[in-house]
Amino acid sequence: MACFTQSLTGADKRLNRQYKLSLIVWALVSMYPCAARAQQQQPPAPQQGRTSVTGIVLDAATNQPLSFINVAFTGSRYGTSTNIEGKYSLAATGAYTRVTFSFVGYQTVIKTIRPGEANQFTIRLSSSQTQLKEVSVVSGRSQKYRNKGNPAVELIQQVIDHKNENRMANADYIQYDQYDRIGLSLFNISKKFINGGFFRKYQFMLDSSTTLNGVRQTTLPVYFNEKVYQHYYRKDPEKTIQILQAEKGINIVKFVDTTGVDTYLNRLYGNTIDIYKNNIFVMVNEFLSPIADHAPNYYKFFITDTVTTANGKLAEISFTPRAKGDLLFEGKLLVSLDGKYAVEGCELNVNKQININFMRSLRIRLEFKPFPGGRYYLSQSNVRADFGILKNKGIAMYGERTVTYSNYVLNAPRPADFYEGKELQFVAKTAQPDTAIWNRQPADSGMARQNEVYARINRLQNMPSFKRLTWIASTLTTDYAAIGPIQAGPVGSLYAYNTQEGSRFQLGGRTTPEFNNTVYLDGYTAYGLRDNQVKYNLTTFLSLNKNSPYRFPNDYFKIGYKYDVDLPGQSFAINTSQAGLRSFQTGSTDYWLYNKIFTLGYVKDFESHFSYNVTYRYWNQQPAGTLRFRLNDVTSTPVHDLTTSELSLGMRFAPHEQLIQGSRDRRTIKSVYPIINLQITQGLKGVFDGAYNYTNVTVDVYKRFYLSQLGTMDVTVLGSVIAGKIPFPLLNISPANQAIAYSRNSYNKMYYLEFVSDHYAGINFTQSFNGFFLNKVPLIKHLKWREYLSGKVLYGGLRAENDPARNGDLYQFPTGSKDSNGTYGLGSTPYVEAGVGIGNIFKVLRFDLIKRFNYLDHPGISAYGLKLSIRPDL
């Protein structure tokens, strides 16, 4: 028997009691020898009809419903678990005579049932945890928590030391079945709204059977999705393949023209929650696992109980963060005491001091089942979280994701060519209802409620009033108004203002697959009251895979012609982010170009998220505003316009990319994987009046680093080189930002057209600490502000052949004046700017103070600037 002695002191009585209890429990559990556990199974009963059992499971002491209680026909492979309300429903073909109710920490109950008939029980489970009497040790002073000599920490260290042998990925080959269910519902809906004239006709959609945090709630289901996968894993070389066998779901907010919502929600609620990893990704952040390699440095641990189950003796370890505001969990672990120190179950919660916006609560429960050889494999994970604008009142969103894992098979490799297939595969007719597949999935009242919701949705979608409401909501959210097979828009571009055009009015539209799923048209026409110019754009897409051009994957030819105004080096016409803030500029913005652009290209996306495009572009630039094109000769000969012909090849690779696809573009859900872009452009002199030969090669690599409690760091490394003699409009124009809105990809203290180069290399980074420091400052920590650091360094220059000061036959650089800031070549000194920001102000505002460190002698330059961002974020 291991023996631990220590004098106990401490000002905090509760901490003192937990610490002493850890010592006592450890001393008692250490008396038990390690022993392997064997499961006893009875042969299945002969199949003589269908046996079913339903009911509810309650805590015998509190009479509260118990969720996640295991319910199984004794000796069979058929089982389920109770839902959030403690209800269960289990049915299978066979003459089963007993049903078992079990869960870690509760006494197992076995009930005799009538085979081949319907049975119903209300079950009350009593706690099986042995409450240990506290032994008081009196000393002259109290002792604070510490790791040294703490038996709970020593036990956790054993769990950490045995992680590799206990995790599933330790096997050479694994396959299992996966049932994945996720749902979202609105609750705390005001009675006034529910009973009002607008919503009265939709009251049949309400569900009054849901219990949240022990309180009966009326909810409005808005999204449900169910999927069934077969999962295959190979350790070396590592490869994971998922085969989607069936899928069904509903979405009453489908007017939001966005695909990939289920991908984002699954990531939000934890794609795969692996307690054995150092970090667990959930709710857009990484949380340090309580059994991470260095977990004892960040968590406090206490042995709080021993638990005896049919599988053997377990130790219950409670844990809590050392610093309440950090991205850490609090909860309990159940650890086997058979010498393998495997996690048999866990509950992970977060306290309300954690810096996640709008989240009211988060709870994660993981259940593990023993497998031959002594390992415990994950059998079910459940994540519940609710969100609201206000902390404790008002309408809120409740989400729950349950994933069940079954039918594990170890070290049974498939043929080698099987592992050469795609990581995500689909069987034929995945979306078709397959009664056999769905009947094999875990049956509970949650699934029954979903079946009821499916029927309600069918009724809702046929209501004319809902169709009208959907059209209005779709117009507001997608920026396009559907008129039969045509969409008018973008609605947000109907009116704009700038110094060149004055008031700008624009009308546009595009066709949809209902018009033609092979040929797509997209265009607009615009008019400026100040310049009295008509602008227009028309693009035709020929889709080879019958997919619209703004949906992944692309496989299309395109041809288009555009005449419009823009800023040199900028592309505001396609950048609508924070458009309101971008209307406000600092300094002069009077450099303009009228562009005539003809494009002919081909775009191809692959399932691996490698893509390429080949494009020919005819580009005519005519200066406007105070911008002038003048030759670098004695008379400064004016140049009316500049014409180039270009052939370009663009390549992009984003391994393991997941996308949210909207009505106009698609957004990458950020992950640990890099995104690489390469663009090669060749100027063609003499082709359709092309004036110059040149080659431009540009590359950039983006990567997000997750730093656990220290937040995230976004890093972009970029570079370019141009070969050939060309005037400044064709050089690399460094992207500047004079708007008051902060831009991650631009230089926020650089003026438009300020720097040009024919070669450069740079690095941009933004570090988001997610409140790691501010959450520890008294008073300020209650504001939940977040800290940011940013930096941008750009090094480059101009060769003599492209510098007007050293070579004739080029265009003169614009010179600085009261109306403009002038243009300069990057010199031997790199351009450097850095910023510090405070965000999450009122949960939506962020202010960045930017400092520019050099080239301060340019006209109109100030060293400091303040940028504003409006962006709600979790």
Side-chain angles (χ1 to χ4, degrees), residues 51-55 73 88 96 112-121:
T51 304
S52 66
V53 59
T54 60
F73 289 128
Y88 64 91
Y96 300 102
T112 301
I113 59 176
R114 300 184 302 275
E117 298 183 19
N119 302 264
Q120 186 171 14
F121 296 104

Side-chain angles (χ1 to χ4, degrees), residues 511-578:
T511 63
T512 66
E514 287 72 25
F515 179 84
N516 192 297
N517 62 7
T518 300
V519 178
Y520 293 86
L521 305 176
D522 193 342
Y524 66 82
T525 182
Y527 183 78
L529 296 184
R530 176 174 296 174
D531 65 353
N532 296 318
Q533 293 268 11
V534 177
K535 296 90 178 176
Y536 49 87
N537 177 39
L538 178 62
T539 303
T540 301
F541 301 88
L542 177 64
S543 176
L544 302 184
N545 61 355
K546 301 186 184 303
N547 204 12
S548 58
Y550 47 91
R551 297 294 194 206
F552 181 88
N554 291 148
D555 187 7
Y556 62 75
F557 288 95
K558 68 174 181 179
I559 183 170
Y561 188 82
K562 173 182 178 180
Y563 173 66
D564 209 338
V565 66
D566 212 338
L567 291 161
Q570 312 298 313
S571 297
F572 280 6
I574 60 171
N575 188 352
T576 60
S577 174
Q578 304 184 96

Side-chain angles (χ1 to χ4, degrees), residues 55-272:
I56 188 171
V57 180
L58 305 174
D59 188 294
T62 65
N63 212 37
Q64 292 295 314
L66 294 176
S67 56
F68 304 107
I69 301 300
N70 299 314
V71 184
F73 289 128
T74 307
S76 79
R77 64 184 181 90
Y78 295 105
T80 184
S81 61
T82 58
N83 67 355
I84 191 173
E85 302 163 20
K87 297 179 181 179
Y88 64 91
S89 176
L90 177 63
T93 301
Y96 300 102
T97 60
R98 294 190 300 172
V99 61
T100 301
F101 301 85
S102 63
F103 191 72
V104 173
Y106 287 90
Q107 296 178 7
T108 298
V109 171
I110 300 177
K111 299 288 290 186
T112 301
I113 59 176
R114 300 184 302 275
E117 298 183 19
N119 302 264
Q120 186 171 14
F121 296 104
T122 296
I123 304 298
R124 287 176 169 81
L125 297 186
S126 300
S127 173
S128 66
Q129 299 177 356
T130 302
Q131 301 297 325
L132 300 178
K133 294 182 179 180
E134 179 180 333
V135 178
S136 298
V137 181
V138 180
S139 64
R141 59 179 182 174
S142 295
Q143 175 184 346
K144 67 179 182 179
Y145 177 91
R146 64 180 183 178
N147 285 342
K148 186 177 181 181
N150 185 343
V153 174
E154 294 183 19
L155 182 54
I156 281 293
Q157 191 59 53
Q158 291 283 4
V159 177
I160 294 172
D161 293 341
H162 288 77
K163 283 197 303 183
N164 287 336
E165 61 193 68
N166 284 319
R167 66 187 309 178
M168 284 193 298
N170 187 55
D172 292 329
Y173 296 90
I174 299 176
Q175 67 183 66
Y176 55 83
D177 296 334
Q178 177 178 329
Y179 167 72
D180 193 327
R181 184 177 71 210
I182 189 167
L184 293 177
S185 298
L186 295 174
F187 70 100
N188 274 357
I189 307 171
S190 70
K191 292 183 179 180
K192 182 178 180 180
F193 177 78
I194 290 175
N195 297 321
F198 171 78
F199 190 77
R200 188 175 296 123
K201 64 176 72 70
Y202 305 118
Q203 288 182 350
F204 67 90
M205 287 296 301
L206 296 174
D207 181 2
S208 59
S209 64
T210 305
T211 301
L212 301 179
N213 300 322
V215 178
R216 181 77 63 173
Q217 291 278 359
T218 297
T219 62
L220 174 63
V222 296
Y223 179 87
F224 280 113
N225 185 265
E226 297 175 87
K227 295 179 181 178
V228 179
Y229 293 98
Q230 285 184 328
H231 189 102
Y232 299 87
Y233 171 79
R234 182 184 64 188
K235 184 178 180 180
D236 187 23
E238 190 172 29
K239 181 67 178 285
T240 298
I241 293 177
Q242 280 190 314
I243 301 176
L244 181 61
Q245 293 188 301
E247 179 180 10
K248 62 180 179 179
I250 57 96
N251 180 11
I252 71 172
V253 292
K254 63 182 180 180
F255 53 78
V256 178
D257 184 15
T258 302
T259 60
V261 171
D262 61 321
T263 300
Y264 180 75
L265 290 176
N266 285 337
R267 180 172 169 81
L268 191 69
Y269 283 82
N271 272 333
T272 301

Side-chain angles (χ1 to χ4, degrees), residues 774-800:
L774 292 177
N775 286 347
K776 297 176 176 60
V777 180
L779 299 180
I780 293 180
K781 66 181 181 181
H782 299 293
L783 300 174
K784 301 291 182 69
W785 288 354
R786 299 174 183 174
E787 325 88 329
Y788 299 88
L789 287 179
S790 62
K792 295 181 173 67
V793 179
L794 182 66
Y795 175 78
L798 282 174
R799 300 186 305 274

Side-chain angles (χ1 to χ4, degrees), residues 219-473:
T219 62
L220 174 63
V222 296
Y223 179 87
F224 280 113
N225 185 265
E226 297 175 87
K227 295 179 181 178
V228 179
Y229 293 98
Q230 285 184 328
H231 189 102
Y232 299 87
Y233 171 79
R234 182 184 64 188
K235 184 178 180 180
D236 187 23
E238 190 172 29
K239 181 67 178 285
T240 298
I241 293 177
Q242 280 190 314
I243 301 176
L244 181 61
Q245 293 188 301
E247 179 180 10
K248 62 180 179 179
I250 57 96
N251 180 11
I252 71 172
V253 292
K254 63 182 180 180
F255 53 78
V256 178
D257 184 15
T258 302
T259 60
V261 171
D262 61 321
T263 300
Y264 180 75
L265 290 176
N266 285 337
R267 180 172 169 81
L268 191 69
Y269 283 82
N271 272 333
T272 301
I273 298 178
D274 186 353
I275 191 69
Y276 288 104
K277 284 187 176 181
N278 284 334
N279 294 287
I280 298 172
F281 191 96
V282 65
M283 297 297 152
V284 306
N285 288 298
E286 278 195 338
F287 291 76
L288 189 73
S289 169
I291 57 172
D293 293 343
H294 303 290
N297 295 332
Y298 302 95
Y299 286 101
K300 297 178 182 179
F301 294 96
F302 308 94
I303 300 176
T304 48
D305 270 312
T306 57
V307 179
T308 301
T309 71
N311 298 319
K313 187 168 287 293
L314 307 170
E316 180 188 84
I317 304 175
S318 298
F319 55 89
T320 187
R322 290 176 178 264
K324 289 292 185 181
D326 287 351
L327 288 174
L328 299 169
F329 294 112
E330 57 187 16
K332 296 179 180 181
L333 294 168
L334 292 169
V335 177
S336 67
L337 297 173
D338 58 355
K340 296 186 180 298
Y341 301 99
V343 175
E344 204 270 356
C346 73
E347 182 172 325
L348 309 174
N349 305 288
V350 296
N351 63 76
K352 293 185 178 180
Q353 299 179 36
I354 203 165
N355 196 339
I356 298 181
N357 285 335
F358 312 114
M359 190 181 75
R360 295 177 174 178
S361 67
L362 169 66
R363 192 190 76 170
I364 301 171
R365 294 189 70 170
L366 305 179
E367 294 182 31
F368 297 79
K369 289 185 178 179
F371 201 85
R375 292 194 182 99
Y376 282 81
Y377 280 178
L378 185 63
S379 61
Q380 187 178 86
S381 70
N382 178 269
V383 182
R384 305 178 186 179
D386 61 278
F387 301 87
I389 300 297
L390 302 178
K391 189 174 183 180
N392 296 313
K393 61 181 180 179
I395 191 169
M397 177 76 75
Y398 170 78
E400 180 177 3
R401 182 177 185 235
T402 300
V403 185
T404 302
Y405 307 87
S406 60
N407 301 326
Y408 281 99
V409 177
L410 265 64
N411 297 322
R414 302 293 298 269
D417 58 352
F418 172 80
Y419 297 98
E420 301 301 319
K422 299 177 181 179
E423 292 185 353
L424 180 59
Q425 303 176 21
F426 304 86
V427 300
K429 298 183 179 180
T430 299
Q432 298 298 319
D434 186 330
T435 304
I437 289 180
W438 295 112
N439 283 347
R440 291 197 298 267
Q441 306 315 311
D444 54 33
S445 59
M447 181 180 291
R449 285 202 311 272
Q450 285 190 206
N451 291 332
E452 294 176 3
V453 171
Y454 292 149
R456 295 174 189 171
I457 291 297
N458 290 332
R459 174 183 171 186
L460 178 71
Q461 290 177 338
N462 292 322
M463 296 176 64
S465 62
F466 182 74
K467 292 179 180 179
R468 290 192 298 269
L469 180 64
T470 299
W471 185 89
I472 295 172

